[in-house]
Each structure stands twice: as structure tokens, then as C-alpha cells.
Amino acid sequence: MSAPGIAVIGGVDTHTDIHQAAVIDSVGRHLVTQSFETTSAGYEQLLAWHCAQGDVIAVGMEGTGAYGAELARFLTANGITVVEVDRPDRRARRAHGKSDPIDAYAAATAVLSGRASGTPKSRNGIVEAIRALRVVRKSAVKARTQTINQIRSLMVTAPSALREKLRGLPTAVLIDTLARTRPTGDLTDPALAARMALRRLARRYQALQQEIKEADADLAPLVTRAAPSLVALPGVGIETAGQLLITAGDNPDRLRSEASFAHLCAAAPIPASSGRTNRHRINRGGDRHANSALYTIVLVRMQYDSRTRDYVARRTAEGMSTKDVMRCLKRFVAREVYRHIKATGVPAPTPRPATCRTGGRPGRSRGTRPARHPG
């Protein structure tokens, strides 16, 4: 039943196969809830169902970067304002219970109260392509590290003749030597089995190494194209630039200020003062991968950048610890990176007006209002 005079807010609890949707009015009253399949037809039905309840101000959604990524793209493309909602904390879950309809209503209520106001990543541009390729590269690097660790572990228990032959070889020479071996004989012999296992592990290492090189060849032009000025900064490489771009997303304008980006990267200082003690501590929240990227940039600059070395020397002479100096440097790098990300951000496609097809009335547009507190 359509209610054109009512302003409503939607909430969606996302899952693999089913999305649970709920609608509340402008004063927070629960109106209706319903589940929809995670298919193209299901997204169309969810959009039409929301618009049939009234004028859609916004839709709060959990998991816009996971199960709800495609739905968020679909709603945004149809002119619906999507607000990213964090999962309720455990205290709220204990007080109000846990179910899909409860979580959907909670998402809508979070938008109404203003507790949730974040704009989700658009995930429809070059940064999303970079993210997909980096997923593969990261897993290959992890598997390569695991492989070389297994090789060295097997060498520890291998027969002394084999161990002494391979001991002290650099990793590249070790891998090449093991990959070129041709062990033959009875596999019941532990020494032969160890040689066979080492050969197979070495070949796996070479395959992973080639996979990483191919990923690097794909990523380098994409990252450079997305943010050429960012890659040109001292200490910033393709890997760190790619991670920082992923953290900001294809729509970096969703970040209101450089302080919000620093907080997202866990580089914003956290007050830790008490009594006569006045200090700040390292932020242990935020995107840890972005924080690791900032840490890598700081390490490189401390080694090779003259300005950074002078700063470290001055702050160390003032009595500041290395940990606190690096905290300050990460905050500075976050500020500098933010300016370049904002300057080179790829604009997202302009969303088309919402087309809520309900009751056989195609072309009826609703839900194009910007998100606001209806108060």
C-alpha cells in the first residue's frame, strides 16, 4: 500500500542469500519488515517495496562492503541515499535481542537518530579494480612466505648430507637449486622423500613468485593512473599507495576532512592524559592495513628522507620516544596523503533518478532527497 505523504527511512540487514529490510517513519515507529532475495529481481522488489511505503529519505545498511555491496550500488544508482551502519555493540544486542528484523529496524533507527551518517564506498571505479587485484597478490605473498618457511623447516630435519649442501644459500639460489633437482628411487627412503618434498615446494615458490610479478605488472599502471601525485611522494610505493586508495575508496569525497581520514587510518592521536600527565597514545582501531601502509612509508622516510631524519633527531633530543615520534609522523603522512587522494579522486558516475515501479505506475520517482535528520 503506497503512502505518498509519509517520510520513511529504510534499514537493511544483509546476508548471503537473503536481505532483511525494515521501514520506520520519521518519528521512529516500526512500520513493516520483509525479506528479499539477493538477486537482480530481489533488488528491484526491495526498491519498489521501499518506495511503496512513502517518500524514502535514506536507507541504512549493514555490510555495504561485503554482503550488501551490490545492493548499495543498485540503490545509489537509482537515486536512493544509502547510509553505512555499524553493527550494534554487544550491550545493545543483549538489551534488545538478536534477529534479522531487529537488526534491520536497528539500522533504520541508527540513521534516524544520526548515530549512523557514513557514506559507503561506491565500489564502482578504478579503486575497486585495484582492490580485487590486491586480494590475489596478498594471498600469493602469504602463501609464498608459508612455502619458504616450510622449506627451511624441512631442511632442519633433512639428512645432514643434504642439509650441509643447502645451508647458507640465499633464498633465490636455494629455490633454483631445489627446483632443478631430479630425485629418483624408493619413496620409502626418508631422505629421498625429503628431497622430493623440497623440490615440489621450490616449484610452488616459483609459481607464486611468477603470480606476484604478474599482479605487480597489472597493479602498477592502475595505481599510477588513479593517483599519480600520490605515487610520486617520498616513501610511497605501488603497494602502499594502492592500500591507501582502497581505504579512501572510489569516492574519497565521503571523507569530510583530513582528520577523518587520519582517524580511519588509525593515525589520529588518542588523548591519554590524567592528572599532571599530558600525553597521547597510538590509536589501535581503524583500518589496520592502512595503518600498516603509513608505518611502511614512515620507515622508508626515516631511512632515506632528510627532512624526516632531521625531525626524528629533533624530537628525540626533546625526550620523545621512538614510538611517539612515529605516531606523529604517521599523522603527518596521513594529512599529506589525504590531500593527494582528494585531488586525484575519480568521480563516481552520476546516479539516475529513482524509478519506483509500484502498482503498475512506471516512472514514479521517489527517494531522491538527500539524507537528513527528519526531526
Side-chain angles (χ1 to χ4, degrees):
M1 180 178 179
S2 179
I6 300 177
V8 298
I9 296 175
V12 181
D13 183 30
T14 60
H15 296 279
T16 305
D17 301 316
I18 296 293
H19 290 335
Q20 185 72 38
V23 172
I24 64 175
D25 62 14
S26 58
V27 294
R29 290 177 296 192
H30 294 187
L31 300 181
V32 63
T33 180
Q34 187 172 328
S35 60
F36 299 90
E37 293 184 352
T38 57
T39 61
S40 298
Y43 299 150
E44 292 278 358
Q45 294 168 7
L46 185 146
L47 173 63
W49 178 80
H50 269 94
C51 293
Q53 311 306 319
D55 295 326
V56 182
I57 297 173
V59 173
M61 187 185 304
E62 288 188 35
T64 58
Y67 298 124
E70 180 60 21
L71 177 60
R73 282 191 290 261
F74 175 80
L75 293 179
T76 302
N78 282 275
I80 300 295
T81 300
V82 178
V83 179
E84 187 171 6
V85 178
D86 293 333
R87 185 179 66 177
D89 58 26
R90 294 181 178 179
R91 182 177 180 181
R93 287 185 184 275
R94 286 195 297 268
H96 302 290
K98 170 72 175 74
S99 70
D100 293 346
I102 289 176
D103 289 345
Y105 277 124
T109 304
V111 177
L112 175 64
S113 65
R115 182 175 61 84
S117 59
T119 302
K121 297 178 183 178
S122 59
R123 298 181 180 274
N124 59 356
I126 190 173
V127 175
E128 179 64 11
I130 292 172
R131 186 194 69 84
L133 292 173
R134 286 192 79 253
V135 168
V136 181
R137 186 191 185 280
K138 185 177 180 180
S139 64
V141 170
K142 184 176 181 180
R144 183 183 63 178
T145 303
Q146 184 182 39
T147 301
I148 190 61
N149 289 340
Q150 290 172 338
I151 289 174
R152 298 195 182 281
S153 177
L154 275 175
M155 287 173 54
V156 170
T157 58
S160 59
L162 177 62
R163 187 169 65 251
E164 291 172 2
K165 180 181 178 181
L166 301 175
R167 179 180 296 168
L169 293 179
T171 300
V173 178
L174 174 65
I175 295 299
D176 184 65
T177 301
L178 292 174
R180 287 188 290 106
T181 58
R182 297 291 186 272
T184 57
D186 186 4
L187 285 177
T188 59
D189 180 9
L192 179 65
R195 292 188 181 93
M196 184 68 74
L198 289 171
R199 174 174 176 265
R200 290 176 179 173
L201 286 172
R203 290 193 167 190
R204 179 188 300 176
Y205 186 97
Q206 289 178 334
L208 290 170
Q209 186 77 0
Q210 181 60 31
E211 184 177 334
I212 293 169
K213 288 181 179 179
E214 293 174 357
D216 289 338
D218 293 334
L219 282 167
L222 286 178
V223 175
T224 304
R225 177 183 173 186
S229 62
L230 177 61
V231 178
L233 290 176
V236 179
I238 296 300
E239 270 300 293
T240 51
Q243 178 56 60
L244 294 171
L245 285 171
I246 292 169
T247 300
D250 280 299
N251 49 336
D253 53 311
R254 70 193 183 93
L255 303 170
R256 292 183 292 272
S257 65
E258 55 88 14
S260 66
F261 178 71
H263 188 75
L264 179 62
C265 296
I270 302 297
S273 302
S274 178
R276 298 180 180 179
T277 302
N278 183 17
R279 71 181 187 91
H280 292 79
R281 67 167 176 83
I282 292 177
N283 189 341
R284 296 179 177 86
D287 187 336
R288 304 312 304 173
H289 297 296
N291 190 270
S292 177
L294 294 179
Y295 180 80
T296 301
I297 295 171
V298 168
L299 284 180
V300 173
R301 290 189 176 186
M302 290 173 68
Q303 184 76 19
Y304 300 104
D305 184 58
S306 59
R307 296 181 309 160
T308 305
R309 291 201 302 267
D310 294 342
Y311 177 83
V312 172
R314 176 167 58 85
R315 298 310 295 267
T316 303
E318 294 173 357
M320 184 175 287
S321 66
T322 302
K323 182 184 294 186
D324 288 336
V325 171
M326 295 189 72
R327 173 183 58 77
C328 295
L329 286 172
K330 283 196 290 185
R331 181 65 179 87
F332 171 79
V333 172
R335 182 182 298 113
E336 187 179 25
V337 165
Y338 173 79
R339 292 197 298 266
H340 289 271
I341 288 178
K342 287 282 286 187
T344 59
V346 180
T350 303
R352 62 179 184 269
T355 54
C356 298
R357 294 179 289 278
T358 59
R361 292 174 288 180
R364 183 175 183 178
S365 297
R366 295 192 189 170
T368 57
R369 301 181 184 181
R372 57 182 174 83
H373 194 295

